């Protein structure tokens, strides 16, 4: 079966699922139904099941197929599961909007301390500042259009639309079967329709397709039912797999890494220890500098915007022509070329972002494993927004890969048994990690880096501002371990934290046995005359060309020519000339600046500078810049 035919049949199934799911959501998108579904108790007083499709059937909200279309009960399960996920998300948004409307202040963007306390008391547990900010803007826009506040969420916004996908995990073996062919191939059997509107069960046929597992997937893991996403004539498969793992503890950590986000220096980390109730940090910062990659991404984004502007201009010219005038083939061809190039640049940007994110996460987790840290504390990403004096910095950070980096860190740290906890980001860069006072941001002492990248304080603090922020983050995490909470998705966070002053670990004194005595270089006697053995005197003058002895008689046809070497008129050295074999210079001799890239291979890793990983025994792992990004 051709790939295009398979993509069409998966697309017909996705359209059927989305249509039935949208019907369920539209029929029950009301405040009363959301309150019943969010309460977790059915009409009979029993607790609703955890499975979404079973909860909807307990309430009597089953999916209905379109008129004249025959679908199996398993297809209705898939549609009901998609609808249940959207309704559960709507229940959470309903609680947030209800809390905002109940405590709506005179100025929603400048709440007082009492107003914030009243709002926090009514918000659901785990609501972050980004959700509060976005919902406040949504309510403010509604107030500006209608002149009044909305009654509830259902009046504020319409019913959501589910994605065009097929979640086979909601079905059983009568709809999907997953078999392992070998360690790298998985065969999936699924029933797909033969037409867009199947009128009988004869229009449903079993289809088999093989999936090749990537190399990072272990050979003996349990493969689960996939999710099919048809798009652009192709089918993208999300194939989850399970491996037994024990979640790391959220508290009881004695050594951790504090991580601060930056623009060019993507990650700045520090090692901190909890000793007798106080936080002790090391003076050596850990940096992952991606200046070259950031510059490349900026150039690609500018090129993408330029291509989008040109394509938009040509599209307006094409659409602005009268209907009776035929389309210009040259204009259409130019537009197609621009759109293809724009897609290629977008794919290149996605590839660089993903490669950079996973490389930075791998570097950080390797450092945590090498120093024996059991937790990684990072600042909360959702609270970062472009505003105030640091508008340019925050805007650049918002367009960076910090979200993908956090996901990669959480994934790799879970495999290594290290907990990843987010802490509040407010005040991490503006406060002193030692005394808690407001620091002053100035230029670096050397003046080589543009901008105010150095932090100074009246208590004597003087170090890089990202390093100071990393110390403050580590202190917040270690000192507030008891406040760590884990949500239903497995993410751990500290919502409220108090700052604890840190102290720097003193340097170890140099052992006396290793101190070498200072050599007395004063001259007290005449220099003795050196007696050299009787050897043949040679010249240090290297030949300008290869030494080739001249033949006694030139071969025929070479009259007037001479072999390579010195001419009789050139100055001859005294004594025999040492013969130097002719060798081809190595890459390091010809291009010293290219040796690093030649060893590492291709990619932008040559532009990444990172702190080398030093293990506990003193051995060094990957050197700076040796992070391979392909």
């Amino acid at each position: 079966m051709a790939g295009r035919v398979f993509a069409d049949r998966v697309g017909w199934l996705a359209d059927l699922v989305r249509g039935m799911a949208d019907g369920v959501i539209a029929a029950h998108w009301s405040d009363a139904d959301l309150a019943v579904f969010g309460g977790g108790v059915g009409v009979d007083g029993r607790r609703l099941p955890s499975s979404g499709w079973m909860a909807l059937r307990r309430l009597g909200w089953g999916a209905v197929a379109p008129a004249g279309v025959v679908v199996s009960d398993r297809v209705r399960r898939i549609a009901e599961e998609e609808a249940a996920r959207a309704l559960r998300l709507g229940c959470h948004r309903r609680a947030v909007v209800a809390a905002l409307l109940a405590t709506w202040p005179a100025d929603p963007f400048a709440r007082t301390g009492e107003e914030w306390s009243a709002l926090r008391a009514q918000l659901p547990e785990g609501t972050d500042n980004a959700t509060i900010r976005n919902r406040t803007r949504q309510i403010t826009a509604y107030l500006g259009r209608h002149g009044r506040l909305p009654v509830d969420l259902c009046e504020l916004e319409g019913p959501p639309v589910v994605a065009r996908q097929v979640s086979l995990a909601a079905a059983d073996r009568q709809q999907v079967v997953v078999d392992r062919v070998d360690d790298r191939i998985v065969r999936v059997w699924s029933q797909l329709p033969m037409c867009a509107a199947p009128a009988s069960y004869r229009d449903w046929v079993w289809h088999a397709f093989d999936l090749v597992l990537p190399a990072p997937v272990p050979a003996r893991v349990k493969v689960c039912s996939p999710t099919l996403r048809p798009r652009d004539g192709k089918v993208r498969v999300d194939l989850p797999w399970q491996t037994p793992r024990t979640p790391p503890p959220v508290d009881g950590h004695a050594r951790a890494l504090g991580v601060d986000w930056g623009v060019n220096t993507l990650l700045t980390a520090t090692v901190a220890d909890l000793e007798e109730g106080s936080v002790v940090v090391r003076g050596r910062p850990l940096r992952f500098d991606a200046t070259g990659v950031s510059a490349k991404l900026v150039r690609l984004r500018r090129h993408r915007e330029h291509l989008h502007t040109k394509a938009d201009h040509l599209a307006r010219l094409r659409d602005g022509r009268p209907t009776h005038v035929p389309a210009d083939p040259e204009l259409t061809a130019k537009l197609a070329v621009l759109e293809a190039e724009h897609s290629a640049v977008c794919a290149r940007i996605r590839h660089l972002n993903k490669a950079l994110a996973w490389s930075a996460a791998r570097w950080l987790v390797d450092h945590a494993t090498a120093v024996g840290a059991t937790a990684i504390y990072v600042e909360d990403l959702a609270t970062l927004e472009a505003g105030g004096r640091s508008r340019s910095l925050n805007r650049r950070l918002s367009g960076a890969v910090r979200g993908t980096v956090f996901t990669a860190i959480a994934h790799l740290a879970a495999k290594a048994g290290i907990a990843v906890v987010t802490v509040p980001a407010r005040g991490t860069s503006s406060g002193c990690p030692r005394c808690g006072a407001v620091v002053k941001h100035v230029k670096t002492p050397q003046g080589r880096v543009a901008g105010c990248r150095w932090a100074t304080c009246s208590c004597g603090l003087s170090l890089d501002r990202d390093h100071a922020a990393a110390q403050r983050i580590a202190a917040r995490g270690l000192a507030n371990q008891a406040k760590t909470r884990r949500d239903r998705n497995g993410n751990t966070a500290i919502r409220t934290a108090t700052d604890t002053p840190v102290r720097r670990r003193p340097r170890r004194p140099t052992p006396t046995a290793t101190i070498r005595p200072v050599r007395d270089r004063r001259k007290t006697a005449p220099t003795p005359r050196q007696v050299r053995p009787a050897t043949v005197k040679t010249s240090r003058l290297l030949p300008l060309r290869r030494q080739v002895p001249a033949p006694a008689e030139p071969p025929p046809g070479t009259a007037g020519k001479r072999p390579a070497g010195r001419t009789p008129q050139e100055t001859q050295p005294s004594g025999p000339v040492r013969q130097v074999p002719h060798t081809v210079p190595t890459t390091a001799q010809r291009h010293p600046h290219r040796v690093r890239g030649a060893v590492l291979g291709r990619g932008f890793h040559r532009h990444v500078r990172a702190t080398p990983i030093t293990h506990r025994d003193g051995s060094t792992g990957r050197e700076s810049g040796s992070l391979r990004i392909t």
Side-chain angles (χ1 to χ4, degrees):
M1 182 176 59
R4 185 69 183 183
V5 176
F6 176 73
D8 292 340
R9 296 179 181 180
V10 174
W12 294 335
L13 178 58
D15 293 336
L16 289 175
V17 169
R18 183 169 62 174
M20 291 187 291
D22 290 342
V24 174
I25 296 174
H28 301 282
W29 187 252
S30 62
D31 189 72
D33 289 346
L34 289 179
V36 172
F37 189 67
V41 180
V43 293
D44 54 355
R46 293 187 299 171
R47 183 179 178 181
L48 295 178
S50 58
S51 300
W53 65 273
M54 294 181 64
L56 291 186
R57 293 192 176 186
R58 180 75 61 82
L59 294 173
W61 300 354
V64 179
V69 176
V70 176
V71 297
S72 63
D73 182 71
R74 277 68 187 173
V75 176
R76 285 195 291 268
R77 281 190 195 180
I78 299 174
E80 291 163 357
E81 182 66 28
E82 294 288 345
R85 294 177 182 178
L87 290 176
R88 282 176 175 171
L89 184 59
C91 293
H92 176 72
R93 295 201 302 264
R94 171 183 173 273
V96 174
V97 171
L100 290 172
L101 294 176
T103 60
W104 190 257
D107 188 359
F109 298 102
R111 290 185 174 92
T112 62
E114 293 78 7
E115 293 172 346
W116 275 111
S117 300
L119 177 60
R120 292 288 185 185
Q122 298 194 22
L123 283 172
E125 184 179 359
T127 305
D128 53 7
N129 294 336
T131 302
I132 299 174
R133 182 172 58 245
N134 295 335
R135 292 299 166 184
T136 301
R137 292 173 178 172
Q138 186 182 15
I139 297 174
T140 304
Y142 184 91
L143 179 62
R145 291 193 304 266
H146 299 85
R148 62 178 181 86
L149 293 175
V151 177
D152 49 27
L153 173 69
C154 299
E155 185 180 2
L156 180 63
E157 62 182 25
V161 179
V162 300
R164 188 171 181 257
Q165 63 183 15
V166 182
S167 300
L168 297 176
D172 55 10
R173 295 183 62 87
Q174 296 187 19
Q175 177 64 31
V176 57
V177 178
V178 180
D179 294 333
R180 292 291 295 263
V181 178
D182 53 20
D183 292 343
R184 289 302 170 194
I185 298 179
V186 175
R187 181 164 298 167
V188 180
W189 293 80
S190 178
Q191 283 195 12
L192 299 178
M194 301 290 291
C195 57
S200 64
Y201 287 110
R202 291 189 297 270
D203 296 332
W204 294 82
V205 180
W206 283 94
H207 294 71
F209 55 95
D210 295 340
L211 303 177
V212 180
L213 299 179
V217 179
R220 301 301 179 185
V221 297
K222 179 183 178 181
V223 181
C224 305
S225 300
T227 298
L228 308 181
R229 305 176 186 272
R231 183 181 178 184
D232 299 335
K234 299 180 181 179
V235 178
R236 293 166 176 82
V237 182
D238 295 343
L239 186 64
W241 48 276
Q242 296 179 354
T243 180
R245 181 184 64 88
T246 302
V250 298
D251 54 1
H253 305 292
R255 174 171 294 180
L257 256 65
V259 185
D260 181 68
W261 306 93
V263 180
N264 294 328
T265 306
L266 182 60
L267 297 179
T268 302
T270 185
V271 183
D273 297 330
L274 186 63
E275 298 179 358
E276 299 178 358
S278 60
V279 180
V280 183
V281 298
R282 300 183 183 182
R284 176 173 175 261
L286 310 175
R287 293 189 178 92
F288 187 89
D289 191 357
T291 307
V293 186
S294 300
K296 178 64 175 179
L297 289 172
V298 169
R299 293 193 297 268
L300 287 175
R301 292 190 185 105
R302 291 177 179 174
H303 185 46
R304 179 186 61 184
E305 294 174 0
H306 178 65
L307 293 175
H308 178 72
T309 303
K310 294 178 65 176
D312 186 63
H313 175 67
L314 294 181
R316 288 197 303 268
L317 292 178
R318 181 196 60 186
D319 300 338
R321 301 172 66 91
T323 55
H324 63 279
V325 178
D328 187 2
E330 184 178 357
L331 181 63
T332 305
K334 288 183 179 180
L335 184 58
V337 171
L338 287 177
E339 291 177 350
E341 187 175 357
H342 182 270
S343 301
V345 173
C346 293
R348 176 60 174 163
I349 292 175
R350 290 193 301 268
H351 171 73
L352 288 179
N353 286 336
K354 183 179 179 181
L356 177 62
W358 283 92
S359 177
R362 180 75 273 173
W363 169 85
L364 183 64
V365 174
D366 286 348
H367 264 294
T369 305
V371 300
T374 58
I376 298 177
Y377 294 103
V378 297
E379 54 184 348
D380 192 2
L381 305 175
T383 60
L384 187 62
E385 184 186 15
R389 297 177 57 185
S390 60
R391 182 181 300 271
S392 176
L393 172 65
N394 290 343
R395 185 183 298 111
R396 292 177 64 187
L397 282 176
S398 299
V401 293
R402 50 192 177 88
T404 310
V405 172
F406 180 78
T407 303
I409 292 174
H411 176 77
L412 297 177
K415 297 174 65 176
I418 300 175
V420 179
V421 185
T422 58
V423 300
R426 182 176 295 276
T428 53
S429 299
S430 60
C432 177
R434 298 181 184 176
C435 65
V438 179
V439 299
K440 183 179 180 181
H441 294 158
V442 296
K443 292 184 177 296
T444 57
Q446 294 82 8
R448 300 175 182 176
V449 182
C452 300
R453 298 292 300 275
W454 206 257
T456 59
C457 183
S458 58
C459 66
L461 176 75
S462 178
L463 73 164
D464 185 82
R465 58 181 296 181
D466 293 340
H467 188 200
Q471 293 182 1
R472 199 171 175 88
I473 292 171
R476 285 185 179 183
L478 288 175
N480 299 271
Q481 299 184 44
K483 301 179 181 179
T484 307
R485 298 293 182 267
R486 191 188 303 272
D487 59 8
R488 61 182 181 180
N489 297 325
N491 302 323
T492 54
I494 299 176
R495 299 300 179 186
T496 58
T498 56
D499 292 320
T500 302
V502 303
R503 57 185 179 90
R504 183 177 177 181
R505 186 181 302 278
R507 295 183 178 179
R508 297 179 180 178
T510 305
T512 309
T514 59
I515 299 178
R516 298 181 179 179
V518 180
R519 179 183 176 184
D520 188 5
R521 296 182 178 274
R522 293 177 297 178
K523 187 173 182 180
T524 58
T527 304
R529 184 176 181 181
Q530 299 179 0
V531 180
R532 298 181 179 179
T535 57
V536 180
K537 186 177 180 181
T538 59
S539 173
R540 295 185 178 181
L541 180 63
L542 297 180
L544 300 179
R545 300 177 182 176
R546 291 186 298 170
Q547 296 292 323
V548 180
E553 296 182 1
T558 59
K561 297 183 180 180
R562 65 175 181 84
R566 295 181 181 271
T567 60
Q569 291 79 13
E570 294 177 343
T571 304
Q572 294 289 345
S574 56
V577 179
R578 183 170 50 191
Q579 300 291 331
V580 180
H582 176 69
T583 57
V584 180
T586 61
T587 305
Q589 297 172 349
R590 290 179 298 177
H591 308 287
H593 61 283
R594 296 185 184 177
V595 176
R596 186 177 176 183
V599 174
L600 299 178
R602 298 181 180 179
F604 60 78
H605 48 269
R606 290 175 292 177
H607 306 286
V608 176
R609 297 187 298 273
T611 306
I613 300 171
T614 304
H615 300 277
R616 301 184 198 179
D617 56 356
S619 61
T620 303
R622 305 177 186 178
E623 294 295 335
S624 174
S626 63
L627 303 174
R628 184 171 184 84
I629 305 174
T630 56

